[in-house]
Every structure is written in C-alpha cells, then in structure tokens.
Amino acid sequence: DVLQDSQRGLCADVATRLRALRGEDLPQRYRNMTVLPKHCSRVMQNAKRLQEDLKTKTKSVTRPGPLLALAFPERVARRGKKGRFVLRDGSMCTVKDPVLQNEDFLAVGRLKNKVVTLAAPLLASEAAVHILPS
C-alpha cells in the first residue's frame, strides 16, 4: 500500500491512493494518513513498465472502478444496509470507509476478514456489466 493508515482501515478509497501517487494533497478527512514515498516510487516504476508493455493494446482509463471490476468481477458489490455490501456471489462484506459507505456500487480490490480495505465506486451501468448474466 502507498499509504499508512493510523486509523486501521478507515480509508479503502482507491482514488485517495491515486492522489498520493500523483503527489497531490490528500483530502482533509485523510490527513492522519502517511504517504510512503518508497512504495509510491515502486508502484510508479511498475506502472511505467506495464504502460510500455501494453502501449498499443490499451485505451485510457479515467476511473479506477471499472478497472478493478475487470480485474475482480466476482467482487462487484451493491450496497445493502448499515454499511454492508453484497458481493456478486451473495456473500456480505463491510465497508468502514465513510466515503465509500454511501456508494450504491463498488468494485472491491481487497478484502480482509470480510472488511473492504480497497475499493472504488462504480456507476450502476458499469456494475450491471459484471452482475447481470450476458
């Protein structure tokens, strides 16, 4: 992870990590987090290498949610009740990040003991691609 979270998992938002990678200030609610420069550098080096390898085969992705959903289609989740989300297979998970709790759909990148530790919002149309049968 490129951030060290002193509040133990309250920030699961991918967009906040992307801000850290770009060297931007973190939102006020995440000021307690520490950016890990060595980790950021390693991620950027790997991203550059991948970009070179895939240069002719990819188009620009402007939002992280659809990319996570492609990587983990089984982890597309819809909001349930009280901060809980239902994954595509019907299992439940909890979202502690207050920013993500109010989203209707999430692409979940990482779970730990059924708690979402990394995710990004999805539009309903983006989630439908992964939830509805083709």
Side-chain angles (χ1 to χ4, degrees), residues 20-120:
L21 286 169
R22 290 189 298 260
E24 298 174 8
D25 290 337
L26 299 181
Q28 185 65 38
R29 64 185 166 271
Y30 296 133
R31 296 287 179 188
N32 63 316
M33 302 189 77
T34 304
V35 177
L36 303 172
K38 287 183 182 179
H39 293 202
C40 288
S41 177
R42 193 172 319 125
V43 168
M44 294 305 287
Q45 288 171 358
N46 288 334
K48 186 175 181 178
R49 193 174 313 119
L50 278 172
Q51 188 176 29
E52 289 296 318
D53 290 346
L54 301 173
K55 192 179 270 184
T56 60
K57 297 183 185 199
T58 60
K59 61 181 181 178
S60 178
V61 176
T62 58
R63 294 173 12 90
L67 186 60
L68 274 177
L70 284 171
F72 305 105
E74 72 282 4
R75 294 189 197 159
V76 170
R78 65 177 165 75
R79 184 166 39 116
K81 296 179 183 176
K82 298 181 183 176
R84 295 178 61 85
F85 279 72
V86 181
L87 295 167
R88 189 175 82 173
D89 67 1
S91 62
M92 301 293 283
C93 61
T94 302
V95 175
K96 293 183 178 179
D97 187 323
V99 172
L100 298 175
Q101 283 179 339
N102 294 321
E103 296 292 340
D104 290 326
F105 296 95
L106 293 176
V108 178
R110 188 172 57 211
L111 285 164
K112 184 174 183 179
N113 299 323
K114 297 189 180 186
V115 175
V116 173
T117 60
L118 188 66

